Amino acid sequence: MQRRELLRSALALPLGVGAGLCLGGCSSAPKRYEGNDPPQPMPRWSGPPPKLALVLGSGGPRGFAHVGVLRALESRGITPDLIIGTSMGALVGVLYASGMPVRQIQKHLWQASPSDWFSDITWHRFAWLTGAALQRDVNQALSGRSIEQLPTRFIAVATMLPTGERVEFGRGDAGAAVRASSSVPGLFVPFQIGENTYGDGDLVAPVPVATAKRLGAHRIIAVDVSADLRDTPDWSRTRIDWITQGIQRKTLVDREMVLADWPIQVRMQYYASATKDYKNYAADMGEQATLKALENFR
């Protein structure tokens, strides 16, 4: 997820206001998991290796393109037996893994407003939101089922802080796993589960194809919904740290996309939003890119 896009659409407050109001008086501690079924990493695959893995990448509002990807897969009769997601890809992926029809997934996400996922504003030194609202929304949509109770195997990828270790949650509280995977630094408070603290999986694995490889997937469809850096408007006036982060992220994406049997790169415009028009645009782009990429899928 992209920090500035989400802050502007969800909070409609200028960046830096929270930090200025805190003045050192706000907490800097991570938020602890308070449930009874904490997400747990999946060390190895049990049973036959997955025949087809679907890997959905991060990308903030651009991740609405994943709904179009699912529409295309459904139209082709392609059904994965393993779904792996990072950040927004984890959100869309867990709904799909729950058995929710694609049409219903789209309805759920299109009806969602910033207040559904970003109502848990907190005064924290380094962030705006706890992530509890997102966790709650996911678990309600799944009727409280844990990851292992879903009909399709699912993994959410997060980053352990501060070591940068890649963590692949495959058991336990599904909403909490998605929350950990989506905890964007500067937007969500770091999420503590047990003794470890987690942040957005985008930091280390924007499109976690290597996870599918590690678990022995025979075939892999991987979807990248990154902004096309060639479309960066007036890049010479863009903050250099944004450009640097984009290049570094692209390096991570490219390193894993080459591992996929069917890499799908949805070329998205630089600016994104959470409006209905943008969601429709993103989904259409995802559907078109997927149908084209899978023309020779057998």
Side-chain angles (χ1 to χ4, degrees):
M1 293 185 174
Q2 302 300 315
R3 178 170 59 193
R4 284 181 174 262
E5 293 157 1
L6 290 177
L7 278 170
R8 286 171 177 165
S9 63
L11 302 179
L13 290 172
L15 292 178
V17 169
L21 292 176
C22 276
L23 297 176
C26 296
S27 170
S28 60
K31 291 294 182 180
R32 288 181 173 271
Y33 174 72
E34 298 178 350
N36 299 316
D37 188 19
Q40 298 179 37
M42 186 174 199
R44 58 184 179 276
W45 184 265
S46 59
K51 295 179 180 179
L52 177 64
L54 173 63
V55 180
L56 302 177
S58 56
R62 297 181 187 89
F64 291 116
H66 291 315
V67 175
V69 173
L70 301 185
R71 292 193 317 221
L73 295 180
E74 185 176 67
S75 71
R76 292 288 309 276
I78 299 171
T79 305
D81 54 353
L82 171 63
I83 301 168
I84 303 171
T86 292
S87 201
M88 188 64 171
L91 173 59
V92 177
V94 78
L95 298 177
Y96 191 44
S98 75
M100 184 181 293
V102 176
R103 182 177 298 180
Q104 188 175 341
I105 293 174
Q106 178 167 331
K107 182 179 180 180
H108 179 82
L109 295 177
W110 266 231
Q111 289 180 342
S113 66
S115 62
D116 294 319
W117 297 338
F118 308 116
S119 61
D120 50 332
I121 298 174
T122 184
W123 295 117
H124 189 277
R125 187 175 300 178
F126 305 122
W128 291 90
L129 305 166
T130 68
L134 176 62
Q135 176 181 333
R136 182 170 56 251
D137 179 75
V138 170
N139 283 333
Q140 288 176 348
L142 271 55
S143 301
R145 287 174 291 174
S146 63
I147 294 175
E148 58 268 36
Q149 291 174 325
L150 303 180
T152 302
R153 301 292 286 270
F154 170 75
I155 292 174
V157 176
T159 303
M160 188 180 294
L161 303 175
T163 62
E165 179 183 344
R166 175 195 198 114
V167 180
E168 302 157 346
F169 291 115
R171 294 177 292 173
D173 188 319
V178 172
R179 174 181 175 181
S181 180
S182 307
S183 291
V184 183
L187 178 60
F188 288 102
V189 177
F191 190 29
Q192 184 172 347
I193 302 172
E195 298 301 316
N196 298 316
T197 301
Y198 301 96
D200 196 343
D202 180 82
L203 295 171
V204 295
V207 190
V209 185
T211 297
K213 278 289 187 182
R214 183 182 71 79
L215 296 174
H218 292 310
R219 298 191 294 175
I220 302 171
I221 297 172
V223 186
D224 172 29
V225 296
S226 304
D228 193 318
L229 296 180
R230 293 171 295 182
D231 291 339
T232 303
D234 197 5
W235 68 268
S236 63
R237 296 186 180 182
T238 302
R239 283 179 49 178
I240 191 63
D241 58 331
W242 294 4
I243 297 173
T244 301
Q245 290 170 13
I247 293 172
Q248 292 172 338
R249 184 180 184 280
K250 184 177 185 301
T251 300
L252 294 175
V253 171
D254 292 348
R255 184 182 302 163
E256 298 206 39
M257 286 293 283
V258 298
L259 303 175
D261 300 287
W262 285 275
I264 301 171
Q265 292 181 304
V266 185
R267 184 173 179 179
M268 305 292 288
Q269 61 190 23
Y270 186 80
Y271 288 117
S273 74
T275 65
K276 185 176 181 180
D277 285 345
Y278 183 83
K279 292 174 182 178
N280 288 331
Y281 154 78
D284 288 345
M285 292 292 287
E287 185 171 16
Q288 293 168 20
T290 302
L291 290 173
K292 182 176 181 180
L294 298 181
E295 285 178 349
N296 298 317
F297 183 91
R298 295 289 185 273

